[in-house]
Amino acid sequence: MNWTAYIDGYCERVAPGLWGEPLNSLSNLAFLIAAIAVWRQAKETHGRVFALLIGLVFLGSTAFHLFATRWAAAADSGFILVFVLYCAAVFPHVFFGVRRGLSWLGILVFLAFTAVVASLGGGLYLSALIGLVVFAVVLKGEDRRGFALAAGVFGVSLAFRTADHTVCGHFSAGTHFLWHLLNGFVLYLAASTATKKAASRRDAASSVSD
């Protein structure tokens, strides 16, 4: 496989070149802002890992929309997948108190669920949206509100991602940059909600031990 092969996958790009997608490239700053915000909130390991993973999403997506090559596309998709799988691994522990070792089995559960969704015509993003909705339904209080907002925003962002090529004839920049802007907020909401929950569980455990 030629990893340097050119990929023209978005409405905004009409030719090879570093600045072929200015809006798609610059809108990735939403991920960097989200990473910094989560890092500033982080009081334990999970929060710092979330911040670093969002930072990798920023780097991968920026590289893809700047260089538009296969290696950059692989980095973009790979870093997104790592973030989603980390969520699948730690959310059971953070929100439901599942033991750390067992919690990592969430990765296998999510991959199996994604395979089922893919067989029905969906994919990673649809299964992630369903996952957000499920958490919004089963959780309570601030946790529910965080995931409900994340699910709503992610649903809108998926619509903009899907509409990108459809609107080319009316808006040459397309709508993919809106996917970035909204997803930066979605990743922040998911990571921030989990970080706050992990911190509250740690504080509760400390008070009990004292």
Side-chain angles (χ1 to χ4, degrees):
M1 178 182 291
N2 180 8
W3 288 100
T4 61
Y6 169 65
I7 297 177
D8 181 2
Y10 301 96
C11 179
E12 188 179 22
R13 181 171 289 279
V14 295
L18 195 64
W19 284 106
E21 301 174 55
L23 284 179
N24 287 348
S25 299
L26 292 174
S27 57
N28 283 301
L29 288 172
F31 297 119
L32 180 60
I33 293 170
I36 293 171
V38 172
W39 181 269
R40 289 172 63 88
Q41 290 182 359
K43 297 180 180 179
E44 42 72 55
T45 302
H46 288 316
R48 298 185 186 99
V49 174
F50 276 124
L52 291 174
L53 292 180
I54 296 173
L56 290 178
V57 171
F58 161 71
L59 292 176
S61 187
T62 300
F64 182 34
H65 292 288
L66 284 176
F67 298 105
T69 56
R70 282 180 178 168
W71 69 262
D76 178 31
S77 300
F79 289 146
I80 292 171
L81 179 61
V82 170
F83 177 86
V84 173
L85 293 182
Y86 186 72
C87 290
V90 303
F91 280 5
H93 171 69
V94 170
F95 293 103
F96 303 111
V98 176
R99 285 187 298 149
R100 292 179 185 273
L102 289 177
S103 184
W104 284 90
L105 294 176
I107 291 178
L108 298 179
V109 174
F110 181 79
L111 288 176
F113 176 67
T114 300
V116 172
V117 172
S119 70
L120 299 174
L124 174 65
Y125 295 132
L126 180 57
S127 58
L129 175 59
I130 295 172
L132 291 174
V133 172
V134 169
F135 273 89
V137 170
V138 300
L139 295 176
K140 299 179 180 179
E142 290 294 327
D143 300 334
R144 169 176 289 178
R145 284 188 284 273
F147 278 101
L149 181 57
V153 175
F154 191 48
V156 175
S157 72
L158 271 175
F160 281 126
R161 184 179 189 272
T162 304
D164 184 59
H165 284 288
T166 305
V167 304
C168 274
H170 308 284
F171 184 56
S172 60
T175 56
H176 193 77
F177 73 97
L178 295 172
W179 157 262
H180 291 161
L181 294 176
L182 293 174
N183 269 5
F185 187 44
V186 171
L187 298 193
Y188 167 77
L189 285 171
S192 177
T193 302
T195 298
K196 291 176 182 177
K197 184 67 172 183
S200 68
R201 292 180 70 91
R202 182 202 60 193
D203 293 341
S206 297
S207 64
V208 171
S209 63
D210 291 342

